[in-house]
Amino acid sequence: KKFLLEHWKKNIMGVVEGDPDKALRRAQALYDIGVRSFRIYSPEPGINVLRCLKKLRKALGDEVELFVGQVVDVLQAKQLESAGADGLYIGIGGGGRCITGVRSGSVIDWPILLWQLRGEINIPVIVEGGASDHIATTLALGATGIGVSRIAGGGTIESPGGMLYCIDQKGNYFKPYGGEAS
């Protein structure tokens, strides 16, 4: 583990919650072991991610990369860029696999938002929530990248993209990691 961390720590992104105090504690612990890229993740719209970004930027400085999501409109994107975000994530459960957006009442039409962001901000935009099902459209609309955590992170029972399932002594299936929202 130590060998991998020393060689790959610049490729590891720590994901922290939108609560500024909790996020700072987690980010500081990750920073102390060498992580220099962070994603502030909140599936609910609101100002916590902006507050969190400001707190992390102040505490960790410009040496770290800070990505923020999930962005719900152009105004929020501009505010986050002004506060020091290095990149943004958009798309809340827009794919056929995730119902986070529906359950939270925050379904965002990411293709329209992505198009509206063109020329309005100058930092990368990574799209999730169905973007991987429409790669050409996503890139044509101006996305910098596409986030696909269900494949890389193991997904969930509803979205079993990864193949890492374990079975306990009673025969119950479980995953050691079930995606960002878990």
Side-chain angles (χ1 to χ4, degrees):
K1 289 180 183 179
K2 186 175 181 179
F3 173 81
L4 286 176
L5 182 60
E6 289 302 316
H7 286 84
W8 292 96
K9 63 186 171 186
K10 292 191 178 191
N11 294 320
I12 296 173
M13 178 179 278
V15 179
V16 298
E17 56 269 72
D19 178 275
D21 295 325
K22 289 180 182 178
L24 181 57
R25 283 193 300 274
R26 183 178 301 207
Q28 188 63 58
L30 291 168
Y31 183 89
D32 290 345
I33 61 168
V35 176
R36 296 296 183 265
S37 183
F38 298 92
R39 175 181 179 182
I40 302 165
Y41 175 75
S42 177
E44 298 86 17
I47 60 171
N48 256 2
V49 292
L50 179 60
R51 289 178 180 157
C52 186
L53 171 64
K54 289 178 178 180
K55 189 165 197 158
L56 291 182
R57 183 56 76 202
K58 182 177 180 182
L60 302 176
D62 291 332
E63 180 186 343
V64 299
E65 290 182 309
L66 296 173
F67 292 81
V68 184
Q70 298 313 88
V71 175
V72 297
D73 61 28
V74 175
L75 176 61
Q76 182 188 30
K78 287 180 175 183
Q79 290 171 335
L80 293 166
E81 181 180 32
S82 292
D86 293 299
L88 306 175
Y89 279 85
I90 69 170
I92 301 176
R97 294 166 192 83
C98 179
I99 60 168
T100 303
V102 174
R103 294 193 69 183
S104 68
S106 59
V107 176
I108 305 302
D109 190 345
W110 65 261
I112 290 175
L113 177 56
L114 181 58
W115 183 259
Q116 291 171 340
L117 289 172
R118 292 170 65 106
E120 295 294 325
I121 59 170
N122 297 301
I123 56 177
V125 177
I126 301 163
V127 184
E128 297 180 307
S132 62
D133 296 332
H134 307 284
I135 294 171
T137 301
T138 304
L139 296 175
L141 289 171
T144 308
I146 297 172
V148 190
S149 60
R150 67 176 148 68
I151 293 171
T156 63
I157 289 294
E158 302 86 32
S159 172
M163 300 305 291
L164 182 58
Y165 283 99
C166 300
I167 302 174
D168 66 15
Q169 293 176 343
K170 296 179 183 178
N172 297 315
Y173 285 91
F174 69 95
K175 285 189 165 199
Y177 175 75
E180 299 160 304
S182 301

PDB file of all heavy atoms in Angstrom, residues 121-150:
ATOM      1  N   ILE A 121     -17.585  29.722 -18.490  1.00  0.00           N
ATOM      2  CA  ILE A 121     -16.550  29.391 -17.520  1.00  0.00           C
ATOM      3  C   ILE A 121     -15.315  28.920 -18.277  1.00  0.00           C
ATOM      4  O   ILE A 121     -15.391  28.569 -19.453  1.00  0.00           O
ATOM      5  CB  ILE A 121     -17.021  28.312 -16.520  1.00  0.00           C
ATOM      6  CG1 ILE A 121     -17.410  27.031 -17.249  1.00  0.00           C
ATOM      7  CG2 ILE A 121     -18.171  28.827 -15.659  1.00  0.00           C
ATOM      8  CD1 ILE A 121     -17.636  25.864 -16.316  1.00  0.00           C
ATOM      9  N   ASN A 122     -14.196  28.901 -17.578  1.00  0.00           N
ATOM     10  CA  ASN A 122     -12.921  28.553 -18.208  1.00  0.00           C
ATOM     11  C   ASN A 122     -12.209  27.403 -17.518  1.00  0.00           C
ATOM     12  O   ASN A 122     -10.983  27.315 -17.561  1.00  0.00           O
ATOM     13  CB  ASN A 122     -12.006  29.779 -18.232  1.00  0.00           C
ATOM     14  CG  ASN A 122     -12.601  30.885 -19.067  1.00  0.00           C
ATOM     15  OD1 ASN A 122     -12.870  30.707 -20.245  1.00  0.00           O
ATOM     16  ND2 ASN A 122     -12.842  32.030 -18.449  1.00  0.00           N
ATOM     17  N   ILE A 123     -12.959  26.548 -16.859  1.00  0.00           N
ATOM     18  CA  ILE A 123     -12.376  25.389 -16.193  1.00  0.00           C
ATOM     19  C   ILE A 123     -13.051  24.129 -16.732  1.00  0.00           C
ATOM     20  O   ILE A 123     -14.128  24.205 -17.323  1.00  0.00           O
ATOM     21  CB  ILE A 123     -12.520  25.485 -14.652  1.00  0.00           C
ATOM     22  CG1 ILE A 123     -13.987  25.663 -14.236  1.00  0.00           C
ATOM     23  CG2 ILE A 123     -11.646  26.616 -14.099  1.00  0.00           C
ATOM     24  CD1 ILE A 123     -14.207  25.700 -12.733  1.00  0.00           C
ATOM     25  N   PRO A 124     -12.409  22.974 -16.562  1.00  0.00           N
ATOM     26  CA  PRO A 124     -12.972  21.732 -17.097  1.00  0.00           C
ATOM     27  C   PRO A 124     -14.338  21.384 -16.501  1.00  0.00           C
ATOM     28  O   PRO A 124     -14.622  21.692 -15.339  1.00  0.00           O
ATOM     29  CB  PRO A 124     -11.943  20.671 -16.682  1.00  0.00           C
ATOM     30  CG  PRO A 124     -10.678  21.424 -16.456  1.00  0.00           C
ATOM     31  CD  PRO A 124     -11.092  22.777 -15.956  1.00  0.00           C
ATOM     32  N   VAL A 125     -15.156  20.734 -17.328  1.00  0.00           N
ATOM     33  CA  VAL A 125     -16.467  20.240 -16.899  1.00  0.00           C
ATOM     34  C   VAL A 125     -16.510  18.738 -17.182  1.00  0.00           C
ATOM     35  O   VAL A 125     -16.350  18.311 -18.328  1.00  0.00           O
ATOM     36  CB  VAL A 125     -17.616  20.940 -17.640  1.00  0.00           C
ATOM     37  CG1 VAL A 125     -18.958  20.356 -17.213  1.00  0.00           C
ATOM     38  CG2 VAL A 125     -17.589  22.435 -17.390  1.00  0.00           C
ATOM     39  N   ILE A 126     -16.731  17.970 -16.133  1.00  0.00           N
ATOM     40  CA  ILE A 126     -16.835  16.519 -16.246  1.00  0.00           C
ATOM     41  C   ILE A 126     -18.302  16.171 -16.048  1.00  0.00           C
ATOM     42  O   ILE A 126     -18.946  16.656 -15.116  1.00  0.00           O
ATOM     43  CB  ILE A 126     -15.957  15.830 -15.192  1.00  0.00           C
ATOM     44  CG1 ILE A 126     -14.500  16.262 -15.398  1.00  0.00           C
ATOM     45  CG2 ILE A 126     -16.100  14.315 -15.270  1.00  0.00           C
ATOM     46  CD1 ILE A 126     -13.606  16.008 -14.232  1.00  0.00           C
ATOM     47  N   VAL A 127     -18.831  15.333 -16.932  1.00  0.00           N
ATOM     48  CA  VAL A 127     -20.258  15.001 -16.896  1.00  0.00           C
ATOM     49  C   VAL A 127     -20.453  13.573 -16.423  1.00  0.00           C
ATOM     50  O   VAL A 127     -19.741  12.659 -16.834  1.00  0.00           O
ATOM     51  CB  VAL A 127     -20.909  15.183 -18.288  1.00  0.00           C
ATOM     52  CG1 VAL A 127     -22.406  14.934 -18.204  1.00  0.00           C
ATOM     53  CG2 VAL A 127     -20.646  16.575 -18.831  1.00  0.00           C
ATOM     54  N   GLU A 128     -21.445  13.381 -15.569  1.00  0.00           N
ATOM     55  CA  GLU A 128     -21.824  12.061 -15.072  1.00  0.00           C
ATOM     56  C   GLU A 128     -23.323  11.875 -15.287  1.00  0.00           C
ATOM     57  O   GLU A 128     -24.004  12.755 -15.774  1.00  0.00           O
ATOM     58  CB  GLU A 128     -21.530  11.950 -13.576  1.00  0.00           C
ATOM     59  CG  GLU A 128     -20.080  12.082 -13.246  1.00  0.00           C
ATOM     60  CD  GLU A 128     -19.817  11.972 -11.764  1.00  0.00           C
ATOM     61  OE1 GLU A 128     -20.444  12.697 -10.974  1.00  0.00           O
ATOM     62  OE2 GLU A 128     -18.972  11.153 -11.405  1.00  0.00           O
ATOM     63  N   GLY A 129     -23.812  10.744 -14.892  1.00  0.00           N
ATOM     64  CA  GLY A 129     -25.257  10.515 -14.923  1.00  0.00           C
ATOM     65  C   GLY A 129     -25.804  10.339 -16.313  1.00  0.00           C
ATOM     66  O   GLY A 129     -26.646  11.108 -16.764  1.00  0.00           O
ATOM     67  N   GLY A 130     -25.330   9.352 -17.022  1.00  0.00           N
ATOM     68  CA  GLY A 130     -25.836   9.076 -18.359  1.00  0.00           C
ATOM     69  C   GLY A 130     -24.910   9.510 -19.466  1.00  0.00           C
ATOM     70  O   GLY A 130     -25.085   9.133 -20.619  1.00  0.00           O
ATOM     71  N   ALA A 131     -23.894  10.299 -19.141  1.00  0.00           N
ATOM     72  CA  ALA A 131     -22.972  10.789 -20.168  1.00  0.00           C
ATOM     73  C   ALA A 131     -22.242   9.652 -20.859  1.00  0.00           C
ATOM     74  O   ALA A 131     -21.973   9.709 -22.054  1.00  0.00           O
ATOM     75  CB  ALA A 131     -21.971  11.764 -19.562  1.00  0.00           C
ATOM     76  N   SER A 132     -21.922   8.601 -20.116  1.00  0.00           N
ATOM     77  CA  SER A 132     -21.191   7.487 -20.723  1.00  0.00           C
ATOM     78  C   SER A 132     -22.070   6.698 -21.685  1.00  0.00           C
ATOM     79  O   SER A 132     -21.570   5.939 -22.510  1.00  0.00           O
ATOM     80  CB  SER A 132     -20.630   6.551 -19.652  1.00  0.00           C
ATOM     81  OG  SER A 132     -21.682   5.982 -18.898  1.00  0.00           O
ATOM     82  N   ASP A 133     -23.364   6.886 -21.583  1.00  0.00           N
ATOM     83  CA  ASP A 133     -24.283   6.245 -22.524  1.00  0.00           C
ATOM     84  C   ASP A 133     -24.404   7.055 -23.812  1.00  0.00           C
ATOM     85  O   ASP A 133     -24.969   6.582 -24.792  1.00  0.00           O
ATOM     86  CB  ASP A 133     -25.675   6.092 -21.900  1.00  0.00           C
ATOM     87  CG  ASP A 133     -25.662   5.157 -20.695  1.00  0.00           C
ATOM     88  OD1 ASP A 133     -24.798   4.256 -20.654  1.00  0.00           O
ATOM     89  OD2 ASP A 133     -26.501   5.345 -19.797  1.00  0.00           O
ATOM     90  N   HIS A 134     -23.902   8.278 -23.792  1.00  0.00           N
ATOM     91  CA  HIS A 134     -23.995   9.196 -24.934  1.00  0.00           C
ATOM     92  C   HIS A 134     -22.665   9.925 -25.104  1.00  0.00           C
ATOM     93  O   HIS A 134     -22.607  11.158 -25.042  1.00  0.00           O
ATOM     94  CB  HIS A 134     -25.126  10.201 -24.709  1.00  0.00           C
ATOM     95  CG  HIS A 134     -26.433   9.559 -24.374  1.00  0.00           C
ATOM     96  ND1 HIS A 134     -27.215   8.940 -25.314  1.00  0.00           N
ATOM     97  CD2 HIS A 134     -27.070   9.403 -23.188  1.00  0.00           C
ATOM     98  CE1 HIS A 134     -28.288   8.444 -24.725  1.00  0.00           C
ATOM     99  NE2 HIS A 134     -28.225   8.705 -23.443  1.00  0.00           N
ATOM    100  N   ILE A 135     -21.593   9.195 -25.316  1.00  0.00           N
ATOM    101  CA  ILE A 135     -20.247   9.762 -25.340  1.00  0.00           C
ATOM    102  C   ILE A 135     -20.098  10.840 -26.414  1.00  0.00           C
ATOM    103  O   ILE A 135     -19.611  11.937 -26.141  1.00  0.00           O
ATOM    104  CB  ILE A 135     -19.190   8.656 -25.516  1.00  0.00           C
ATOM    105  CG1 ILE A 135     -19.194   7.760 -24.270  1.00  0.00           C
ATOM    106  CG2 ILE A 135     -17.806   9.249 -25.749  1.00  0.00           C
ATOM    107  CD1 ILE A 135     -18.353   6.518 -24.393  1.00  0.00           C
ATOM    108  N   ALA A 136     -20.508  10.559 -27.630  1.00  0.00           N
ATOM    109  CA  ALA A 136     -20.334  11.531 -28.722  1.00  0.00           C
ATOM    110  C   ALA A 136     -21.086  12.818 -28.438  1.00  0.00           C
ATOM    111  O   ALA A 136     -20.556  13.921 -28.613  1.00  0.00           O
ATOM    112  CB  ALA A 136     -20.787  10.925 -30.050  1.00  0.00           C
ATOM    113  N   THR A 137     -22.326  12.699 -27.970  1.00  0.00           N
ATOM    114  CA  THR A 137     -23.124  13.890 -27.654  1.00  0.00           C
ATOM    115  C   THR A 137     -22.468  14.685 -26.529  1.00  0.00           C
ATOM    116  O   THR A 137     -22.360  15.912 -26.605  1.00  0.00           O
ATOM    117  CB  THR A 137     -24.554  13.489 -27.237  1.00  0.00           C
ATOM    118  OG1 THR A 137     -25.151  12.764 -28.307  1.00  0.00           O
ATOM    119  CG2 THR A 137     -25.387  14.691 -26.880  1.00  0.00           C
ATOM    120  N   THR A 138     -22.030  13.991 -25.506  1.00  0.00           N
ATOM    121  CA  THR A 138     -21.416  14.651 -24.355  1.00  0.00           C
ATOM    122  C   THR A 138     -20.189  15.454 -24.769  1.00  0.00           C
ATOM    123  O   THR A 138     -20.029  16.613 -24.391  1.00  0.00           O
ATOM    124  CB  THR A 138     -21.037  13.609 -23.288  1.00  0.00           C
ATOM    125  OG1 THR A 138     -22.202  12.863 -22.941  1.00  0.00           O
ATOM    126  CG2 THR A 138     -20.475  14.264 -22.049  1.00  0.00           C
ATOM    127  N   LEU A 139     -19.324  14.849 -25.556  1.00  0.00           N
ATOM    128  CA  LEU A 139     -18.115  15.548 -25.993  1.00  0.00           C
ATOM    129  C   LEU A 139     -18.438  16.659 -26.987  1.00  0.00           C
ATOM    130  O   LEU A 139     -17.832  17.730 -26.949  1.00  0.00           O
ATOM    131  CB  LEU A 139     -17.118  14.551 -26.578  1.00  0.00           C
ATOM    132  CG  LEU A 139     -16.595  13.512 -25.578  1.00  0.00           C
ATOM    133  CD1 LEU A 139     -15.699  12.504 -26.279  1.00  0.00           C
ATOM    134  CD2 LEU A 139     -15.886  14.168 -24.405  1.00  0.00           C
ATOM    135  N   ALA A 140     -19.408  16.438 -27.868  1.00  0.00           N
ATOM    136  CA  ALA A 140     -19.794  17.467 -28.847  1.00  0.00           C
ATOM    137  C   ALA A 140     -20.385  18.702 -28.162  1.00  0.00           C
ATOM    138  O   ALA A 140     -20.227  19.823 -28.651  1.00  0.00           O
ATOM    139  CB  ALA A 140     -20.798  16.903 -29.849  1.00  0.00           C
ATOM    140  N   LEU A 141     -21.046  18.509 -27.024  1.00  0.00           N
ATOM    141  CA  LEU A 141     -21.624  19.634 -26.296  1.00  0.00           C
ATOM    142  C   LEU A 141     -20.582  20.420 -25.505  1.00  0.00           C
ATOM    143  O   LEU A 141     -20.874  21.494 -24.996  1.00  0.00           O
ATOM    144  CB  LEU A 141     -22.724  19.148 -25.350  1.00  0.00           C
ATOM    145  CG  LEU A 141     -24.008  18.689 -26.029  1.00  0.00           C
ATOM    146  CD1 LEU A 141     -24.944  18.031 -25.019  1.00  0.00           C
ATOM    147  CD2 LEU A 141     -24.708  19.848 -26.715  1.00  0.00           C
ATOM    148  N   GLY A 142     -19.365  19.880 -25.396  1.00  0.00           N
ATOM    149  CA  GLY A 142     -18.296  20.631 -24.764  1.00  0.00           C
ATOM    150  C   GLY A 142     -17.728  20.058 -23.483  1.00  0.00           C
ATOM    151  O   GLY A 142     -16.939  20.729 -22.814  1.00  0.00           O
ATOM    152  N   ALA A 143     -18.079  18.841 -23.123  1.00  0.00           N
ATOM    153  CA  ALA A 143     -17.530  18.252 -21.903  1.00  0.00           C
ATOM    154  C   ALA A 143     -16.031  18.040 -22.038  1.00  0.00           C
ATOM    155  O   ALA A 143     -15.526  17.701 -23.101  1.00  0.00           O
ATOM    156  CB  ALA A 143     -18.209  16.921 -21.599  1.00  0.00           C
ATOM    157  N   THR A 144     -15.326  18.250 -20.946  1.00  0.00           N
ATOM    158  CA  THR A 144     -13.904  17.976 -20.893  1.00  0.00           C
ATOM    159  C   THR A 144     -13.664  16.494 -20.660  1.00  0.00           C
ATOM    160  O   THR A 144     -12.687  15.938 -21.130  1.00  0.00           O
ATOM    161  CB  THR A 144     -13.263  18.783 -19.749  1.00  0.00           C
ATOM    162  OG1 THR A 144     -13.637  20.153 -19.896  1.00  0.00           O
ATOM    163  CG2 THR A 144     -11.761  18.674 -19.761  1.00  0.00           C
ATOM    164  N   GLY A 145     -14.554  15.885 -19.899  1.00  0.00           N
ATOM    165  CA  GLY A 145     -14.416  14.469 -19.577  1.00  0.00           C
ATOM    166  C   GLY A 145     -15.742  13.879 -19.151  1.00  0.00           C
ATOM    167  O   GLY A 145     -16.734  14.591 -18.971  1.00  0.00           O
ATOM    168  N   ILE A 146     -15.732  12.562 -18.988  1.00  0.00           N
ATOM    169  CA  ILE A 146     -16.925  11.828 -18.585  1.00  0.00           C
ATOM    170  C   ILE A 146     -16.572  10.989 -17.366  1.00  0.00           C
ATOM    171  O   ILE A 146     -15.604  10.228 -17.391  1.00  0.00           O
ATOM    172  CB  ILE A 146     -17.428  10.925 -19.734  1.00  0.00           C
ATOM    173  CG1 ILE A 146     -17.830  11.779 -20.933  1.00  0.00           C
ATOM    174  CG2 ILE A 146     -18.588  10.050 -19.263  1.00  0.00           C
ATOM    175  CD1 ILE A 146     -18.158  10.988 -22.185  1.00  0.00           C
ATOM    176  N   GLY A 147     -17.345  11.144 -16.310  1.00  0.00           N
ATOM    177  CA  GLY A 147     -17.134  10.374 -15.094  1.00  0.00           C
ATOM    178  C   GLY A 147     -17.959   9.102 -15.132  1.00  0.00           C
ATOM    179  O   GLY A 147     -19.159   9.151 -15.372  1.00  0.00           O
ATOM    180  N   VAL A 148     -17.300   7.965 -14.885  1.00  0.00           N
ATOM    181  CA  VAL A 148     -17.992   6.674 -14.931  1.00  0.00           C
ATOM    182  C   VAL A 148     -17.609   5.881 -13.686  1.00  0.00           C
ATOM    183  O   VAL A 148     -16.821   4.950 -13.757  1.00  0.00           O
ATOM    184  CB  VAL A 148     -17.618   5.880 -16.204  1.00  0.00           C
ATOM    185  CG1 VAL A 148     -18.512   4.664 -16.358  1.00  0.00           C
ATOM    186  CG2 VAL A 148     -17.706   6.754 -17.441  1.00  0.00           C
ATOM    187  N   SER A 149     -18.135   6.255 -12.545  1.00  0.00           N
ATOM    188  CA  SER A 149     -17.764   5.588 -11.294  1.00  0.00           C
ATOM    189  C   SER A 149     -18.343   4.186 -11.188  1.00  0.00           C
ATOM    190  O   SER A 149     -17.800   3.337 -10.517  1.00  0.00           O
ATOM    191  CB  SER A 149     -18.194   6.433 -10.100  1.00  0.00           C
ATOM    192  OG  SER A 149     -19.591   6.631 -10.123  1.00  0.00           O
ATOM    193  N   ARG A 150     -19.443   3.914 -11.866  1.00  0.00           N
ATOM    194  CA  ARG A 150     -20.049   2.585 -11.743  1.00  0.00           C
ATOM    195  C   ARG A 150     -19.163   1.499 -12.308  1.00  0.00           C
ATOM    196  O   ARG A 150     -19.174   0.375 -11.855  1.00  0.00           O
ATOM    197  CB  ARG A 150     -21.427   2.550 -12.394  1.00  0.00           C
ATOM    198  CG  ARG A 150     -21.418   2.708 -13.893  1.00  0.00           C
ATOM    199  CD  ARG A 150     -22.828   2.571 -14.450  1.00  0.00           C
ATOM    200  NE  ARG A 150     -23.066   3.356 -15.618  1.00  0.00           N
ATOM    201  CZ  ARG A 150     -22.514   3.157 -16.818  1.00  0.00           C
ATOM    202  NH1 ARG A 150     -21.657   2.211 -16.980  1.00  0.00           N
ATOM    203  NH2 ARG A 150     -22.811   3.920 -17.828  1.00  0.00           N
TER     204      ARG A 150
END
